Amino acid sequence: MRTWAPKGQTPTIQFHFNWNHVSVIAGLTRTNFLFRLHEGSIKKGELVEFLKALKAHLKQPLLVIWDGARAHHSHFVRDYLDTLGGHIQIAFLPPYAPDLNPVEYLWAWLKRHAMANYCPNNLSELHATARNRLKSAQKRPSMGSVGDAYDNALAESFFASLECELIDRRSWPTKTEARLALFTYIEGWYNPRRRHSALGQVSPAEFERRNTANRQQSRSPESGLPTVGACVAVATPPVDNPASRAKLPA
């Protein structure tokens, strides 16, 4: 928050962060997502109600994968799951791994695109607008291939990182400077140096290097698979051919 004050006097702003708010809970399947809006925070009671709604809507055994939030570990939630006889199974994501949670990409789209710079007049207007935006996302066609479990999550992960680490932090007076900054970010940072949890905390370039080395090793003579001379050409320095120094007849 920015404000003005006389030179040499640090301003003190009194503000109470106890405003009313609207929260949303969502669950993604391979083909769609389901959501519910609540006034206030999402707590253990809202979680159980959402699980009941999933069970009634999908009508099949469920595997729910979510993060390690405190409400997800509550006795109230576990007691409800125990009454279902295994109809809903729970698995937890690794700690501090938002890039593995596909719901995070939905929230990024909602906050940075669908409702960016939106200022409602009241909670009812915010509730209605958020519901309409989320419903419109349910109707959007998938950009992933048929049967692809990741769908468009990997591409959305890249664009979310690009916006957070570069676009939201800077501005460029010309398109040429913006293109140069984008090229530098991708080829100078994202691919060769930035570590990714989905790749075992290594950069894409390092991951490709290790993957190529493993493939070459698996094709060695000891593995019983056919070999090619390309590996030898890469690893062997050029050999001086005496015949190349012979003088041609006049």
Side-chain angles (χ1 to χ4, degrees):
M1 180 179 294
R2 293 184 178 182
T3 185
W4 299 95
K7 186 176 181 180
Q9 299 181 16
T10 302
T12 301
I13 301 177
Q14 295 183 357
F15 193 83
H16 301 284
F17 295 90
N18 57 355
W19 58 73
N20 297 326
H21 61 278
V22 175
S23 301
V24 58
I25 181 173
L28 275 70
T29 68
R30 294 185 61 179
T31 58
N32 207 341
F33 72 92
L34 305 172
F35 69 92
R36 273 193 171 185
L37 292 161
H38 296 274
E39 292 190 7
S41 302
I42 302 293
K43 300 180 181 178
K44 55 187 179 181
E46 287 75 17
L47 283 176
V48 170
E49 291 301 319
F50 186 67
L51 291 175
K52 291 180 179 179
L54 290 180
K55 179 176 177 293
H57 182 79
L58 298 176
K59 296 182 175 63
Q60 59 182 336
L62 302 176
L63 171 62
V64 177
I65 304 175
W66 55 21
D67 57 27
R70 181 177 299 179
H72 296 163
H73 291 276
S74 66
H75 291 286
F76 188 74
V77 174
R78 285 186 289 178
D79 290 343
Y80 168 71
L81 295 174
D82 291 340
T83 63
L84 302 180
H87 188 84
I88 298 180
Q89 298 291 330
I90 299 296
F92 290 94
L93 292 168
Y96 307 107
D99 52 330
L100 299 181
N101 190 350
V103 178
E104 294 295 335
Y105 308 126
L106 176 63
W107 301 150
W109 170 83
L110 182 65
K111 291 186 291 185
R112 299 176 183 175
H113 299 282
M115 301 185 67
N117 301 321
Y118 174 70
C119 184
N121 295 318
N122 49 58
L123 281 182
S124 298
E125 185 177 336
L126 174 62
H127 191 284
T129 303
R131 177 178 293 277
N132 292 336
R133 296 292 189 273
L134 289 170
K135 281 188 171 293
S136 68
Q138 288 179 323
K139 301 175 183 178
R140 297 178 66 188
S142 172
M143 296 179 62
S145 58
V146 176
D148 186 358
Y150 284 99
D151 203 298
N152 201 35
L154 296 180
E156 292 294 337
S157 174
F158 165 73
F159 286 115
S161 301
L162 176 65
E163 292 179 0
C164 178
E165 298 175 3
L166 180 66
I167 296 177
D168 291 346
R169 298 184 180 186
R170 294 184 55 189
S171 60
W172 300 270
T174 64
K175 292 183 178 180
T176 301
E177 294 182 11
R179 292 191 189 99
L180 180 60
L182 180 61
F183 177 83
T184 303
Y185 173 81
I186 296 175
E187 297 299 335
W189 166 248
Y190 191 87
N191 286 337
R193 298 174 57 190
R194 189 182 189 277
R195 295 185 296 175
H196 299 255
S197 59
L199 302 180
Q201 295 299 333
V202 298
S203 66
E206 177 65 17
F207 179 82
E208 288 294 333
R209 187 192 67 80
R210 295 181 183 181
N211 191 35
T212 301
N214 292 335
R215 288 202 305 266
Q216 293 177 353
Q217 185 177 5
S218 65
R219 294 177 180 177
S220 62
E222 290 79 2
S223 65
L225 297 177
T227 60
V228 294
C231 296
V232 178
V234 172
T236 305
V239 177
D240 187 10
N241 185 3
S244 64
R245 298 198 300 269
K247 294 183 179 181
L248 296 176

